[in-house]
Amino acid sequence: MLLQLRQLPILFLLHPILALSVPMVDQVQRAEELLSSHWLSQAQTQLRERLARTKDSIADVRQAKNVVMLLGDGLSITTLTAARILKGQRRGGRGEEAQLAVERFPFTGLSKTYCIDEQTPDSACTATAYFGGVKTHSGTVGQSGSGERVDSVLQWAQRAGKATGVVTTTRLTDASPAGAYAHVSRRGEELEIARQLVEEEPGRNLNVILGGGLGKFADERRDGKDLLAQWRESNPNGCFARSLKELRNCSDATGTLLGLFSDSHMSYHLAASKELPRLCDMAAAAIEKLERKSQEDGNGYFVFIEGGRIDHGHHETRVGYALDEMLEFDAAVETVIQMTDPRDTLVVVTADHSHTLSMSGYAKRGTPILGMGAQQRDVNGVPYSTLNYAIGKWQSLDKDGRRESPSKTLSPTSYTPSYIHGRKGVHSGEDVVVFAMGPQSHMFGGVMEQNLLPHLMGYAACLGNSVTLCNQDTDADLTA
C-alpha cells in the first residue's frame, strides 16, 4: 500500500526507522539556491509581503539616518535567559526579575539560520546572509553558492555616502566581521581576508575598525606584506590604538580609527587586562567617531558591533565565560541606546546561530544560575546543574563511568556538564531572536529568513538598489 504524505509524520513517530528508509523529497541541491539572484529575489518578496501586512496598522514614515547592528555570536534564547538571571544575581537579587537592555526594544522577531547545505549553520554562511542578503554554503564568506561576489549592506551604505565601521571582540578576520567586507570561499583564508580589509572596497573605506587579530596583518604573513604599514600610509591622518588609553587618545583624531588590541581574539572579559577596552568602550568610541563624521557630511552611518566571544565560551562549554560575555554585550547594547536617538537611528540586535545550552529541572527561584538546586537529582539521587550542554568536553563522570555530582567543579570558569562527549561544544539549529527599535523597526517582527535582515535595514535607511522606503512605489531591481 502506498503511503499518503500526510501520514508520514505519524508513522515516523510510531516507527522511527521509517525516517531512515523513506527517501526525502528534496535531498538534491536546488540549482537556483546557488545563485545570488534567488535569495535576493526571495528576500524582496518577503519584504513586499511585510509592507503589505503592516501598511494599514503602523504608520511609520521615518527614514533611518543611522543603522547600528549588534550581533551576539552564538546568542541562543537560553543564553539570554541565563544571562538575565546572572545579571540580577550579581546585583544581589534573585535574578529572574532582572532585565537586559534588549528587553526595552519594542519589536521582536525570529530568524531562520540554516545554510544552503547545512541545517545547523556556521558563522560564515550566516554572515553572508545577514550582511549580503544571500544564503550560501557553510564556511563561505561574501560569495553565493555558485561563487558570485555578494556585496554587504555596509557597501550599500558606503555607496550612499554613509560612514561605516566594524567592531568585534574576535579577530577582525574572523567569519562574522569578515562578512562585512570580504569575499572568500573558505573562512579560514584569514590572511587573504586581512589583505582585502586593507586593500579592497569596502574594507579600505571603513572609518572605524576595532577588534583583535594583529597577527593576520603583520607577523603571521608570509607574503612580505606589512598591512599595518600599508594602512598607515593610506591613512596619514588616521589614529592607531593598541590599548584603552590609546583608544581614548584617538577621540580627537580627524582620520580613520584602527584599533588592534590583541594578536588573536581579544581576551575573555573575565581574564582581560584593565588596560584593554571592553566592548562597550569600543562601541562608544565607534559611535562617537561616526557621529562626528555624520555631522560633517550629513549622510549618517552604519556600524556593526559584535560580541564574538559568547560563541567561544559555548564552544569551550564554559558557560560562565559565555554568560559574562553576554553581559558585556548587554553593556554595549545599553551604551548604544544611550548614545543614539531612536527618532533617526535604527538599532537591530540579533545572533548568527544558537548553541546547545539548556536550562533544565525545577530549580527554586533565586537558585544560583551557575550552580544547582538541592532538589535537582536524577533517578539515582545524583545532583545535576541547572545549565547543561547537549554536546561537549566534560560529562561529570567518575572513574567507573557513572555520573557524579558536578558540585565540586562548578565555578565561573569551569567546564559545564554535557550529555554527549565531543571535542568541543557545537552550534544548534533553532531560530534566533531579532530585536529592533527606531525607524521602521516594526518590520522586524514575526519569523523571517536570516537573509531578509539586510534588506530590512536597507529598506529603512534607503540603501541598495532594491525596494526601500524611498522607492517602494517604483519597480526596483530585485536582484541588485
Side-chain angles (χ1 to χ4, degrees):
M1 181 182 296
L2 293 175
L3 295 175
Q4 298 295 318
L5 286 177
R6 64 185 179 186
Q7 294 177 302
L8 289 178
I10 296 176
L11 288 171
F12 286 171
L13 290 173
L14 296 175
H15 301 286
I17 194 64
L18 286 176
L20 302 177
S21 60
V22 177
M24 299 302 289
V25 176
D26 193 19
Q27 286 296 303
V28 178
Q29 178 72 60
R30 293 191 297 166
E32 62 266 30
E33 288 192 354
L34 299 176
L35 302 176
S36 296
S37 57
H38 168 77
W39 296 106
L40 294 172
S41 179
Q42 174 244 49
Q44 288 293 304
T45 299
Q46 292 182 74
L47 176 54
R48 290 185 184 277
E49 290 173 352
R50 283 170 181 265
L51 287 170
R53 194 167 67 225
T54 60
K55 69 177 182 179
D56 295 328
S57 58
I58 299 178
D60 184 358
V61 297
R62 298 172 300 166
Q63 177 184 341
K65 179 181 180 181
N66 312 308
V67 180
V68 182
M69 181 182 185
L70 296 111
L71 184 96
D73 198 311
L75 180 54
S76 65
I77 294 178
T78 304
T79 306
L80 282 166
T81 304
R84 176 199 302 130
I85 295 172
L86 180 60
K87 182 178 183 178
Q89 291 179 347
R90 283 181 172 180
R91 294 178 174 179
R94 288 192 286 181
E96 297 83 1
E97 72 291 340
Q99 188 179 66
L100 299 170
V102 291
E103 295 176 46
R104 305 204 304 275
F105 283 46
F107 294 99
T108 306
L110 291 173
S111 170
K112 298 155 66 175
T113 64
Y114 65 91
C115 306
I116 65 173
D117 58 343
E118 290 188 351
Q119 286 182 338
T120 300
D122 80 323
S123 292
C125 71
T126 53
T128 307
Y130 62 71
F131 275 128
V134 173
K135 285 183 180 274
T136 189
H137 291 121
S138 177
T140 298
V141 176
Q143 294 181 356
S144 70
S146 62
E148 304 163 284
R149 176 188 172 107
V150 175
D151 290 339
S152 79
V153 67
L154 268 81
Q155 184 142 33
W156 307 352
Q158 289 182 3
R159 288 170 181 160
K162 293 188 182 296
T164 52
V166 171
V167 177
T168 182
T169 52
T170 69
R171 292 189 298 268
L172 284 158
T173 52
D174 203 28
S176 297
Y181 61 85
H183 310 275
V184 293
S185 60
R186 295 185 300 275
R187 60 179 290 179
E189 300 176 54
E190 291 193 48
L191 298 179
E192 167 62 14
I193 292 171
R195 186 197 66 77
Q196 291 184 23
L197 174 57
V198 174
E199 296 183 352
E200 296 184 3
E201 293 184 355
R204 69 185 184 195
N205 296 330
L206 290 168
N207 302 92
V208 175
I209 308 168
L210 301 174
L214 176 62
K216 303 300 180 184
F217 295 84
D219 295 345
E220 296 179 28
R221 304 195 67 82
R222 298 293 181 266
D223 57 6
K225 289 180 178 287
D226 185 337
L227 294 178
L228 183 56
Q230 283 185 226
W231 179 87
R232 284 176 161 145
E233 183 177 350
S234 300
N235 297 272
N237 295 322
C239 192
F240 177 62
R242 289 297 315 274
S243 67
L244 175 58
K245 181 178 179 181
E246 291 179 357
L247 179 63
R248 288 172 174 166
N249 289 340
C250 284
S251 61
D252 295 328
T254 58
T256 303
L257 173 59
L258 172 62
L260 290 167
F261 304 106
S262 62
D263 288 336
S264 184
H265 301 303
M266 294 180 67
S267 297
Y268 288 116
H269 170 246
L270 286 176
S273 164
K274 292 183 179 180
E275 296 179 356
L276 296 178
R278 297 168 58 192
L279 182 59
C280 58
D281 297 320
M282 294 191 290
I287 290 179
E288 180 182 17
K289 178 72 174 179
L290 295 171
E291 183 63 38
R292 187 182 305 121
K293 182 71 166 61
S294 174
Q295 290 174 357
E296 293 173 0
D297 56 34
N299 293 327
Y301 61 83
F302 189 113
V303 61
F304 171 74
I305 301 171
E306 183 198 20
R309 304 224 63 192
I310 301 168
D311 175 69
H312 297 171
H314 283 319
H315 277 302
E316 292 185 26
T317 60
R318 294 186 177 187
V319 74
Y321 276 140
L323 297 189
D324 184 73
E325 291 298 309
M326 167 53 210
L327 293 182
E328 285 296 289
F329 183 68
D330 180 61
V333 175
E334 184 65 44
T335 297
V336 169
I337 293 173
Q338 297 301 322
M339 294 185 68
T340 57
D341 186 342
R343 292 174 296 182
D344 67 5
T345 302
L346 172 66
V347 181
V348 179
V349 181
T350 189
D352 48 354
H353 56 74
S354 187
H355 265 276
T356 69
L357 181 70
S358 66
M359 181 176 168
S360 308
Y362 299 95
K364 296 297 182 182
R365 178 85 183 271
T367 298
I369 192 62
L370 295 178
M372 50 191 174
Q375 77 284 0
Q376 294 191 148
R377 297 175 181 272
D378 66 15
V379 293
N380 296 316
V382 180
Y384 60 86
S385 56
T386 301
L387 299 176
N388 297 274
Y389 289 93
I391 300 173
K393 295 181 178 180
W394 182 59
Q395 283 63 59
S396 187
L397 304 176
D398 65 17
K399 57 183 176 60
D400 297 319
R402 293 173 300 210
R403 204 180 71 80
E404 63 181 359
S405 171
S407 61
K408 295 179 181 179
T409 55
L410 285 176
S411 74
T413 59
S414 66
Y415 291 114
T416 304
S418 55
Y419 171 58
I420 296 172
H421 189 198
R423 289 188 295 272
K424 62 179 182 178
V426 299
H427 297 173
S428 58
E430 67 268 18
D431 299 351
V432 295
V433 187
V434 181
F435 303 93
M437 70 159 50
Q440 306 303 314
S441 55
H442 64 281
M443 296 288 290
F444 292 81
V447 181
M448 69 198 76
E449 295 282 1
Q450 191 170 49
N451 64 299
L452 177 61
L453 287 172
H455 295 271
L456 293 177
M457 292 182 285
Y459 173 84
C462 295
L463 307 176
N465 298 322
S466 300
V467 176
T468 72
L469 183 66
C470 300
N471 69 4
Q472 59 181 310
D473 296 324
T474 65
D475 294 327
D477 182 0
L478 299 185
T479 63

